[in-house]
Amino acid sequence: GAYGYPTDSCIVLGTTSQQFTCADDDTITYNLYDSADCSGDATTLEDYCSGGTVCTGYCGQTGTCGVVTLSSYTEANCGGDVAYEQSIITDYCGGLAKFECN
């Protein structure tokens, strides 16, 4: 299954991070950073969804989607540094998975 990843939300992957953004032509740009907070220079892949990936960009949409963020820490009880963090759009069905608030 797939998930709906919100644009402009930083995905932390240990010491690196990634972010999807909407370009001026309403295509998705993928940004990969050497930092854990989506700062600094990025390696970019423009028009990400047309590059053989299985995705659909919804840039230019009106309204607001609900978002839930999962954070995984390096120590018990949510202590230490964030090792992994990712936001996912709620109430979006991506094939086999859907996140909902109860």
Side-chain angles (χ1 to χ4, degrees), residues 54-76:
V54 180
C55 71
T56 302
Y58 294 101
C59 295
Q61 294 289 322
T62 59
T64 302
C65 297
V67 175
V68 62
T69 301
L70 167 69
S71 300
S72 176
Y73 295 85
T74 57
E75 297 177 16

Side-chain angles (χ1 to χ4, degrees), residues 26-41:
D26 286 340
T27 59
I28 298 292
T29 299
Y30 171 77
N31 305 289
L32 178 64
Y33 298 89
D34 286 330
S35 66
D37 62 357
C38 293
S39 65
D41 294 330

Side-chain angles (χ1 to χ4, degrees), residues 1-3 5 94-97:
Y3 308 116
Y5 300 120
L96 300 174

